């Protein structure tokens, strides 16, 4: 059975703070996230994993390595390492 990506509505229900974002963009991120999950995953984990990875892709797209402030006021830093950064000793 082929994996079915979550719908934009499911994504926005899970991440309500992204309600105002483009359905087209979210749909593209969901399609990309589907490629990170395959049929070897436990069925119950597939959709949550795709939703979480799409949210991660969204965060990376719009924040890079900046600090993120969550609704509860806590912050975290998303550090992205690429081979170029590793080569430069960053």
């Amino acid at each position: 059975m082929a994996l079915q990506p979550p719908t934009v509505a499911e994504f926005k229900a899970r991440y309500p703070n992204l309600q105002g974002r483009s359905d087209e963009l979210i749909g593209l991120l969901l399609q990309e996230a589907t490629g990170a999950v395959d049929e070897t995953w436990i069925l119950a984990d597939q959709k949550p994993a795709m939703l979480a990875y799409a949210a991660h892709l969204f965060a990376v797209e719009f924040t890079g390595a900046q600090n993120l402030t969550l609704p509860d006021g806590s912050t975290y830093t998303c550090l992205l390492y690429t081979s170029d950064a590793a080569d430069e000793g960053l």
Side-chain angles (χ1 to χ4, degrees), residues 11 15 26 29-31 33 49-59:
F11 181 86
Y15 300 101
I26 292 173
L29 295 173
L30 288 169
Q31 285 179 348
M50 289 183 267
L51 287 167
Y53 190 56
H56 167 75
L57 293 172
F58 183 90

Side-chain angles (χ1 to χ4, degrees), residues 13-84:
R14 174 62 183 87
Y15 300 101
N17 57 325
L18 299 177
Q19 287 289 334
R21 301 300 180 158
S22 159
D23 287 356
E24 182 179 0
L25 171 64
I26 292 173
L28 291 171
L29 295 173
L30 288 169
Q31 285 179 348
E32 185 174 344
T34 301
V37 175
D38 64 29
E39 293 167 349
T40 63
W41 285 58
I42 296 169
L43 183 61
D45 292 341
Q46 291 174 0
K47 190 171 283 191
M50 289 183 267
L51 287 167
Y53 190 56
H56 167 75
L57 293 172
F58 183 90
V60 169
E61 181 75 23
F62 290 99
T63 65
Q66 300 174 10
N67 288 333
L68 297 177
T69 301
L70 303 177
D72 67 2
S74 61
T75 61
Y76 75 95
T77 301
C78 176
L79 298 174
L80 302 175
Y81 294 97
T82 65
S83 60
D84 290 342

